[in-house]
Amino acid sequence: MSDFHNVVNDFDNLIKKYNFKCPKKLWYNELVALTKHLEDDFYCYIIARIHKNNGALETTLWVGPIDRPDDGLDSLSAHIEIKIDYSQMLDKNFFLNCQKKITNIIESGVLESLVYASKKELINPSILNTRYDVYTSYIIPFYHLVLESINYDKSILKDKKKCQPFIEALYNNITNDDMKSFFNRIGLKETINMIWDFCYLYSM
């Protein structure tokens, strides 16, 4: 784990006071994320990163349905982004200042409004694309089947080795032809990786 991951210390207040979690198994060398379950399938994501190409610092906040907290969030219009700050200057207080701004946003009640907007966007999207189709028709329904099959047991959901047999069993017994065709195309390995990411976030 890189030294950059120590940046999470600058978000200590968000973790202790506002119950944000650190899904470390989903982090990259140049990106760390915090997550907070809001309601139902909806989460708040805070993504902090140092851009490898120019060393710039950036923090963004997202609200939307469950998904891997990385650059792929922008592929689904129901994920709503707030740019917290961006700097090309090395500043030891950058992420501390970002935490202060995020705290002000949380305390203003904005997250509740963003969840409402995200729900409306998921039901009636402004941008229809392949990602929207597969997310709503296949990925989320399959993920819910996994949760049900494990009886929402977080001790299993957080452990990929324990969770994998349940995902594999459902994969091998899909009855919906369209869903079966989709998951067969991406294969068992990718299905396990993708669905377990969601299960891991749920277990936090």
Side-chain angles (χ1 to χ4, degrees):
M1 188 172 292
S2 71
D3 291 338
F4 168 61
H5 289 171
N6 291 326
V7 71
V8 77
N9 295 331
D10 291 338
F11 294 120
D12 186 61
N13 192 51
L14 292 172
I15 295 167
K16 291 182 177 178
K17 185 175 179 180
Y18 296 100
N19 203 33
F20 276 84
K21 306 299 183 182
C22 301
K24 295 181 179 180
K25 293 180 181 179
L26 304 183
W27 288 359
Y28 300 101
N29 286 334
E30 73 284 359
L31 181 153
V32 303
L34 305 182
T35 63
K36 177 179 175 63
H37 181 230
L38 299 176
E39 59 179 83
D40 302 326
D41 283 333
F42 291 82
Y43 285 73
C44 177
Y45 310 100
I46 296 168
I47 297 179
R49 64 188 307 160
I50 296 178
H51 292 272
K52 291 187 294 185
N53 57 337
N54 59 11
L57 310 174
E58 182 178 23
T59 303
T60 55
L61 180 149
W62 297 77
V63 170
I66 189 168
D67 215 333
R68 187 182 180 96
D70 59 19
D71 293 337
L73 289 175
D74 63 7
S75 66
L76 191 68
S77 65
H79 292 132
I80 300 172
E81 178 186 17
I82 295 179
K83 292 185 181 296
I84 301 301
D85 204 357
Y86 178 89
S87 176
Q88 291 186 309
M89 302 290 292
L90 183 61
D91 179 358
K92 66 179 182 179
N93 293 319
F94 176 83
F95 293 112
L96 284 170
N97 293 337
C98 288
Q99 175 178 244
K100 183 177 180 180
K101 184 173 181 179
I102 293 167
T103 298
N104 289 338
I105 289 171
I106 292 171
E107 292 182 349
S108 73
V110 168
L111 296 187
E112 290 80 1
S113 297
L114 291 177
V115 169
Y116 178 72
S118 179
K119 286 182 177 180
K120 292 193 70 173
E121 186 68 22
L122 190 63
I123 294 169
N124 185 25
S126 58
I127 302 172
L128 277 171
N129 55 22
T130 301
R131 171 62 173 164
Y132 175 82
D133 290 338
V134 301
Y135 183 89
T136 57
S137 299
Y138 310 130
I139 296 173
I140 281 295
F142 190 93
Y143 159 67
H144 285 158
L145 289 174
V146 173
L147 293 183
E148 292 168 8
S149 71
I150 302 176
N151 199 27
Y152 301 89
D153 186 336
K154 292 185 177 182
S155 67
I156 297 175
L157 292 164
K158 72 179 180 182
D159 188 321
K160 190 173 184 179
K161 289 182 178 179
K162 293 180 180 178
C163 192
Q164 180 172 328
F166 293 90
I167 299 173
E168 187 169 352
L170 287 167
Y171 177 94
N172 290 327
N173 291 281
I174 298 172
T175 56
N176 180 284
D177 289 341
D178 289 339
M179 181 184 285
K180 186 177 183 67
S181 177
F182 168 75
F183 284 109
N184 281 343
R185 284 198 305 273
I186 67 172
L188 176 59
K189 182 178 179 180
E190 181 58 28
T191 298
I192 292 170
N193 290 339
M194 177 173 55
I195 298 299
W196 181 75
D197 286 351
F198 288 25
C199 294
Y200 175 59
L201 288 174
Y202 176 86
S203 74
M204 300 290 294

